[in-house]
Amino acid sequence: GAVVSQHPSWVICKSGTSVKIECRSLDFQATTMFWYRQFPKQSLMLMATSNEGSKATYEQGVEKDKFLINHASLTLSTLTVTSAHPEDSSFYICSASLRAGNGYTFGSGTRLTVV
Amino acid sequence: KQEVTQIPAALSVPEGENLVLNCSFTDSAIYNLQWFRQDPGKGLTSLLLIQSSQREQTSGRLNASLDKSSGRSTLYIAASQPGDSATYLCAVDNYGQNFVFGPGTRLSVLP
């Protein structure tokens, strides 16, 4: 079955630094991956759609210059939180689908804490 | 714009009870609906996927139904166990355009 691996599982960084989160499809190729953010006791909110070989599509209200997405290969998408601030502290999760309409598989998530 | 709601927001039951979680969506033009489980601080585990042409799916003690015309899905958990304690999320796939989550139901099964 489709497996999505996400690293790191948790990271603590200083305010003003940048953090990169990786999302890999282990046993399938994913032309599209999705990045979500989840604040405590809230549901997942789609941040952006990562497209292999082209620019990511960002949801309204998400700063594309702050959340840089790179999807350089069919198995890897990265999310870089630039100049992180405490309010960026959240749980970030990626997902991908083996085939359209076949449901989505999610990574294990990354807990980001900015101090 | 697709909106997904879930009732109840939280549920606490004694072990062994059968229970029903509800999910409603406003736009019936969906590709499929998926139920997930999320443990605290963890990612999502897919439980059941129901295609728009299907009425229900079963996996072990879980049974999910879909009534697309009325915009409703239910997740039935039989003989609940403490290990079932988690947040349950439903999400709808709008023909691959976007994937919208409900707010979740926090389930606590007491031993």
Side-chain angles (χ1 to χ4, degrees):
Chain A
V3 178
V4 173
S5 175
Q6 187 173 341
H7 294 280
S9 57
W10 62 270
V11 58
I12 301 173
C13 71
K14 292 184 178 181
S15 185
T17 62
S18 295
V19 173
K20 179 184 288 187
I21 302 170
E22 293 188 349
C23 181
R24 295 180 185 272
S25 55
L26 296 186
D27 50 0
F28 67 104
Q29 295 182 331
T31 57
T32 304
M33 291 185 177
F34 304 87
W35 287 96
Y36 293 82
R37 180 167 53 185
Q38 185 180 34
F39 291 105
K41 296 187 177 182
Q42 296 186 23
S43 191
L44 282 74
M45 296 299 294
L46 179 65
M47 297 176 64
T49 301
S50 172
N51 304 298
E52 188 270 334
S54 64
K55 292 182 179 180
T57 304
Y58 291 82
E59 295 300 302
Q60 189 174 7
V62 178
E63 300 175 57
K64 63 179 181 180
D65 294 329
K66 180 170 186 61
F67 299 99
L68 300 180
I69 292 174
N70 183 280
H71 195 152
S73 77
L74 289 171
T75 60
L76 174 64
S77 175
T78 61
L79 168 68
T80 301
V81 183
T82 62
S83 186
H85 290 279
E87 56 264 32
D88 297 324
S89 298
S90 186
F91 193 58
Y92 294 86
I93 310 179
C94 68
S95 76
S97 179
L98 179 59
R99 284 184 296 276
N102 204 48
Y104 293 85
T105 300
F106 284 76
S108 55
T110 298
R111 171 74 59 193
L112 171 63
T113 302
V114 184
V115 297
Chain B
K1 178 183 176 183
Q2 179 72 272
E3 293 183 1
V4 181
T5 56
Q6 290 185 246
I7 295 173
L11 183 63
S12 183
V13 299
E15 181 177 7
E17 277 202 7
N18 302 323
L19 47 96
V20 175
L21 308 181
N22 298 289
C23 172
S24 298
F25 47 96
T26 56
D27 185 350
S28 61
I30 64 170
Y31 209 169
N32 56 52
L33 182 145
Q34 201 165 354
W35 281 93
F36 296 89
R37 167 187 174 139
Q38 185 177 30
D39 293 287
K42 304 293 185 182
L44 275 66
T45 300
S46 180
L47 299 174
L48 290 165
L49 170 68
I50 310 177
Q51 300 293 345
S52 61
S53 59
Q54 298 174 324
R55 297 284 292 179
E56 67 177 339
Q57 284 287 325
T58 298
S59 176
R61 294 182 294 108
L62 305 179
N63 175 276
S65 66
L66 174 64
D67 184 342
K68 199 174 73 164
S69 61
S70 67
R72 295 180 181 178
S73 175
T74 60
L75 177 66
Y76 177 82
I77 303 177
S80 58
Q81 303 171 357
D84 294 332
S85 299
T87 295
Y88 291 80
L89 298 161
C90 72
V92 296
D93 187 354
N94 298 284
Y95 289 99
Q97 296 301 309
N98 64 322
F99 197 54
V100 182
F101 280 90
T105 293
R106 293 188 303 280
L107 173 65
S108 177
V109 181
L110 306 175

